[in-house]
């Protein structure tokens, strides 16, 4: 049996790319001695990043027809037309000609909609278009219905759906009527690139960005749901009572950065807020190590990547209270609507005893999640071996 992982996104996408890398590493380990495993990508840069992890990828060039078909899957009308034709895309034909039996889509991709014959594994990161539909990035009609059509159509046909939490798995079962046996929850891991062997030293990183140790750090792209605005309100409140903190924002602009820049100017925070934009993977560890704490008052969940990286590198975490199922007792929880609540949490991180307790709890939470990962990997291996046996029943 041959299983391929399809890496569609570029590294600049953020956490989703790093989660894809972890999924590839996990599947590579499971596949050893059990089935053939290969990685396909449509971006040459991805192959270079995979090489750093000791992995190789095949570059798949999409035809003009493929691009049209891929785009069609993003609309209800386009997907309906594809569903009612016998057209098999060049993309799928290429995979079939390469003896592929199972395709692992590593992100919340609509690409499974082009497959007519091949089985696939789908990944779900969140259902925030349902949970937090007031935010424009998921609530505007085109995006909302695109996501809804994707989940309704593609999840029902997936051989397996992989999530990173039981909470999300339960939501999929309830909202889309998917059989529980076809959903597997497996906690994600920190980015493999924050390991020392892939990083430059902290002093060099701080020099690159002209930073001094002791800032708060928020690695997040500039979406409205990431809630950068609340951090600025908290800093403004703290300034009014004579307390000054610095914050470092890393991440690419998703349409909301100018709004955040305007708020920085409104609250007179120019000297306290540092924008470092997209951070190359070799610099990310240094930014974590230089911070006082990681602050993440995001609205979207149920899980996120920065908490895992904060715990790995021994940093306290401030996190949104409605996401407690991920962090358990390894965070100071805040109401993401309340800047004063957030300001109090930031002040608490100046207490060494509180920080030490949070760091220890973070290590413990990581150990718990590793145990959960081992269990889920065994389940995943058994499901794939079952598929391997059944695949022998047809040519």
């Amino acid at each position: 049996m041959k299983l391929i992982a399809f890496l569609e996104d570029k590294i600049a996408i953020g956490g989703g790319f790093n989660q894809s890398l972890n999924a590839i590493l996990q599947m590579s380990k499971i596949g050893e001695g059990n089935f053939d495993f290969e990685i396909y990508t449509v971006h040459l840069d991805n192959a270079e990043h995979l090489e750093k992890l000791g992995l190789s990828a095949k570059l798949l060039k999409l035809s003009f027809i493929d691009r049209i078909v891929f785009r069609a899957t993003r609309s209800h009308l386009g997907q309906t037309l594809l569903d009612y034709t016998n057209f098999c895309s060049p993309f799928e034909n290429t995979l079939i000609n390469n003896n592929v039996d199972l395709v692992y889509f590593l992100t919340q991709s609509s690409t499974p909609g082009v497959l007519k014959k091949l089985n696939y594994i789908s990944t779900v990161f969140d259902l925030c278009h349902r949970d937090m539909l007031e935010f424009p990035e998921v609530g505007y009609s085109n995006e909302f219905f695109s996501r809804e059509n994707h989940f309704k159509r593609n999840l029902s046909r997936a051989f397996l759906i992989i999530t990173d939490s039981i909470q999300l798995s339960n939501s999929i079962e309830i909202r889309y009527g998917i059989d529980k046996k076809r959903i597997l929850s497996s906690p994600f891991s920190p980015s493999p690139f924050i390991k020392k062997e892939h990083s430059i030293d902290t002093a060099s990183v701080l020099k690159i960005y002209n930073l001094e140790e002791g800032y708060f750090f928020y690695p997040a792209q500039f979406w409205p749901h990431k809630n950068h605005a609340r951090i600025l309100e908290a800093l403004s409140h703290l300034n009014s009572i004579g307390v000054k903190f610095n914050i470092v924002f890393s991440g690419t602009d998703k349409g909301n950065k100018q709004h955040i820049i305007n708020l920085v100017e409104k609250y007179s925070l120019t000297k306290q807020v540092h924008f470092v934009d997209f951070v190359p993977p070799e610099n990310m560890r240094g930014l974590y190590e230089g911070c006082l704490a990681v602050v993440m008052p995001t609205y979207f969940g149920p899980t996120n990547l920065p908490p895992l990286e904060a715990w790995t590198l021994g940093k306290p975490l401030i996190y949104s209270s409605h996401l407690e199922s991920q962090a358990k007792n390894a965070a100071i929880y805040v109401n993401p609507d309340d800047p004063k609540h957030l300001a109090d949490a930031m002040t608490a991180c100046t207490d060494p005893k509180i920080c030490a307790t949070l760091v220890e709890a973070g290590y413990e939470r990581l150990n718990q999640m590793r145990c959960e990962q081992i269990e889920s990997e065994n389940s995943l291996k058994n499901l794939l071996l079952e598929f391997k046996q059944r695949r022998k029943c047809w040519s």
Side-chain angles (χ1 to χ4, degrees):
M1 182 186 84
K2 180 187 283 190
L3 183 154
I4 69 153
F6 188 43
L7 184 58
E8 298 175 75
D9 291 335
K10 290 186 175 182
I11 192 169
I13 201 71
F17 182 85
N18 289 308
Q19 301 295 13
S20 296
L21 294 181
N22 286 322
I24 288 171
L25 290 169
Q26 182 187 58
M27 192 63 78
S28 179
K29 181 172 65 174
I30 293 172
E32 191 171 351
N34 293 309
F35 51 83
D36 294 334
F37 175 65
E38 293 181 351
I39 307 161
Y40 283 51
T41 184
V42 293
H43 303 294
L44 181 61
D45 290 349
N46 287 347
E48 297 173 3
H49 292 301
L50 288 165
E51 285 178 6
K52 297 175 184 177
L53 302 175
L55 299 167
S56 60
K58 291 185 175 182
L59 183 63
L60 182 64
K61 294 184 178 180
L62 299 179
S63 68
F64 177 72
I65 294 175
D66 280 325
R67 296 183 187 280
I68 293 175
V69 173
F70 277 32
R71 183 173 294 275
T73 64
R74 299 172 191 169
S75 72
H76 179 65
L77 177 60
Q79 187 65 70
T80 300
L81 291 173
L82 289 174
D83 289 344
Y84 286 94
T85 66
N86 292 321
F87 176 73
C88 191
S89 69
F91 168 75
E92 184 170 20
N93 281 327
T94 297
L95 299 185
I96 292 172
N97 291 336
N98 281 276
N99 301 313
V100 172
D101 299 298
L102 187 61
V103 185
Y104 184 8
F105 292 99
L106 301 165
T107 60
Q108 293 189 171
S109 169
S110 60
T111 309
V114 310
L115 299 182
K116 295 286 187 177
K117 301 176 181 179
L118 290 173
N119 283 282
Y120 60 88
I121 299 171
S122 189
T123 300
V124 179
F125 292 145
D126 65 70
L127 297 179
C128 288
H129 72 294
R130 288 284 202 97
D131 299 329
M132 297 280 177
L133 59 80
E134 60 269 33
F135 286 92
E137 56 266 44
V138 294
Y140 286 177
S141 62
N142 287 349
E143 182 63 24
F144 179 90
F145 288 114
S146 175
R147 291 190 180 212
E148 194 67 3
N149 291 332
H150 158 66
F151 289 126
K152 286 180 178 178
R153 196 269 179 197
N154 294 322
L155 296 188
S156 61
R157 197 185 153 242
F159 161 72
L160 183 66
I161 300 162
I162 296 181
T163 76
D164 64 341
S165 71
I166 293 175
Q167 181 181 350
L168 181 53
S169 294
N170 290 340
S171 293
I172 292 171
E173 180 188 4
I174 293 169
R175 287 171 171 167
Y176 299 106
I178 306 297
D179 292 340
K180 184 179 294 186
K181 66 180 181 180
R182 295 216 179 257
I183 311 173
L184 178 67
S185 59
S186 178
F188 291 141
S189 302
S191 167
F193 287 125
I194 66 165
K195 295 180 179 179
K196 273 192 175 181
E197 59 264 34
H198 300 300
S199 306
I200 63 177
D201 64 279
T202 301
S204 297
V205 172
L206 296 182
K207 185 176 181 180
I208 289 171
Y209 298 108
N210 194 27
L211 298 171
E212 295 182 1
E213 289 189 10
Y215 50 83
F216 286 89
F217 184 38
Y218 190 14
Q221 295 177 326
F222 287 90
W223 295 104
H225 75 264
K226 293 297 186 181
N227 203 18
H228 296 82
R230 204 68 63 238
I231 297 175
L232 302 181
E233 292 171 359
L235 291 178
S236 179
H237 169 71
L238 287 166
N239 285 352
S240 70
I241 59 175
V243 179
K244 287 189 177 292
F245 292 130
N246 291 333
I247 181 78
V248 172
F249 292 143
S250 73
T252 54
D253 183 16
K254 294 297 181 178
N256 204 50
K257 186 175 180 180
Q258 187 57 53
H259 175 63
I260 301 306
I261 292 173
N262 292 342
L263 290 179
V264 169
E265 295 174 354
K266 175 183 177 180
Y267 297 129
S268 302
L269 297 170
T270 304
K271 293 183 179 180
Q272 295 169 251
V273 179
H274 306 270
F275 296 96
V276 295
D277 299 321
F278 171 75
V279 175
E282 63 270 19
N283 293 352
M284 188 59 79
R285 181 185 178 100
L287 288 177
Y288 274 108
E289 290 183 331
C291 77
L292 174 63
V294 173
V295 55
M296 190 169 196
T298 182
Y299 286 99
F300 282 14
T303 62
N304 289 282
L305 181 63
L308 306 179
E309 297 178 340
W311 299 332
T312 298
L313 298 177
K315 293 297 176 179
L317 171 67
I318 298 172
Y319 205 28
S320 299
S321 55
H322 65 285
L323 303 177
E324 187 175 357
S325 62
Q326 180 186 15
K328 306 296 184 183
N329 66 334
I332 298 176
Y333 291 104
V334 297
N335 177 351
D337 293 324
D338 189 340
K340 291 184 179 180
H341 200 191
L342 179 55
D344 290 341
M346 296 173 77
T347 303
C349 287
T350 62
D351 186 328
K353 291 183 179 179
I354 292 176
C355 289
T357 299
L358 289 171
V359 168
E360 183 62 31
Y363 291 142
E364 291 177 3
R365 181 62 183 134
L366 280 177
N367 288 331
Q368 293 170 2
M369 296 177 78
R370 288 190 186 107
C371 292
E372 294 170 13
Q373 282 177 330
I374 292 172
E375 184 178 347
S376 65
E377 284 176 4
N378 289 331
S379 297
L380 178 56
K381 181 175 72 173
N382 291 335
L383 287 167
L384 293 173
L385 291 176
E386 181 182 89
F387 178 88
K388 180 180 178 180
Q389 284 297 98
R390 296 178 181 182
R391 179 61 185 89
K392 295 175 184 177
C393 295
W394 67 93
S395 62

